[in-house]
Amino acid sequence: MSQLVRVVVLGWVLLLSGCAAFSSAVIDSEQLHLLPPAQGPKPVLLKQKVTMTVKGQEQQFIAVSRLSHKDARLIALLPTGQQLLYLEFDGVQFQQHSAPSIELPGKAILATIQFTLWPENTLRAYYPHNQGWRTEIKSDRRQLWHNGSLLLDVHYEAERIRVENYLDAYQATIQTLEERDLLQ
């Protein structure tokens, strides 16, 4: 599995994990930043199986995501096929549709996903060191720190991606079921 695919899969898992937790804890919109799709990864369509662990309880979701330089879109589905969440961001406008009676911090979820997917130079521009941010990016790991606190920790393993989100206290494991390059 290529590094880009691993990062994309991880990003969508993070999105779904926010859904899985149904947490009332909202990430402060000032903490994480929405990044321009034009500065994102190569265009790709992904279908992933996401297993989330929140407070010892495990839930599974299917995420279908489409990333292009025009926009980023995500649909999260329950195993029954019921749509849980839809997100779309074109660099200017953000749209979110959630299942009835579920309020999710869509912008914060997408910003978390983008941290896992966007190139290092874009992250450094939007998470500058002089504002308390620190990003650590290696071939098998990606971390986001703010004022000395670890917020996100992503591990790329042989067959899966493991995500630790310290902001929302969950773990996620992502497995890509299908991948299609949108440039072909």
Side-chain angles (χ1 to χ4, degrees), residues 39-81:
Q39 295 179 21
K42 71 176 184 172
V44 66
L45 180 69
L46 294 171
K47 181 179 178 182
Q48 300 110 359
K49 176 183 172 183
V50 178
T51 304
M52 301 296 305
T53 305
V54 180
K55 297 180 182 178
Q57 295 187 351
E58 193 174 277
Q59 295 188 16
Q60 292 186 344
F61 301 88
I62 297 295
V64 179
S65 53
R66 180 185 181 278
L67 300 177
S68 72
H69 292 141
K70 179 183 170 192
D71 61 13
R73 297 178 189 190
L74 170 89
I75 297 174
L77 304 169
L78 294 172
T80 61

Side-chain angles (χ1 to χ4, degrees), residues 135-149:
T135 56
E136 292 185 18
I137 300 174
K138 300 176 184 174
S139 63
D140 64 343
R141 191 173 194 179
R142 191 175 268 211
Q143 294 180 316
L144 178 63
W145 299 75
H146 188 254
N147 292 330
S149 295

Side-chain angles (χ1 to χ4, degrees), residues 24 40 54 71 88 93 103 113 147 149 167:
S24 60
V54 180
D71 61 13
E88 182 176 354
Q93 292 185 335
E103 293 200 26
I113 291 169
N147 292 330
S149 295
L167 286 168

Side-chain angles (χ1 to χ4, degrees), residues 76-149:
L77 304 169
L78 294 172
T80 61
Q82 178 184 4
Q83 182 175 314
L84 181 62
L85 180 67
Y86 172 83
L87 297 177
E88 182 176 354
F89 180 60
D90 67 4
V92 177
Q93 292 185 335
F94 175 81
Q95 295 180 30
Q96 174 179 341
H97 304 284
S98 302
S101 75
I102 297 175
E103 293 200 26
L104 300 168
K107 286 184 180 180
I109 291 169
L110 183 57
T112 301
I113 291 169
Q114 289 180 320
F115 172 77
T116 68
L117 301 173
W118 269 229
E120 183 174 355
N121 60 341
T122 302
L123 295 177
R124 293 201 191 284
Y126 284 85
Y127 293 102
H129 188 71
N130 65 358
Q131 292 178 12
W133 296 102
R134 187 174 90 211
T135 56
E136 292 185 18
I137 300 174
K138 300 176 184 174
S139 63
D140 64 343
R141 191 173 194 179
R142 191 175 268 211
Q143 294 180 316
L144 178 63
W145 299 75
H146 188 254
N147 292 330
S149 295

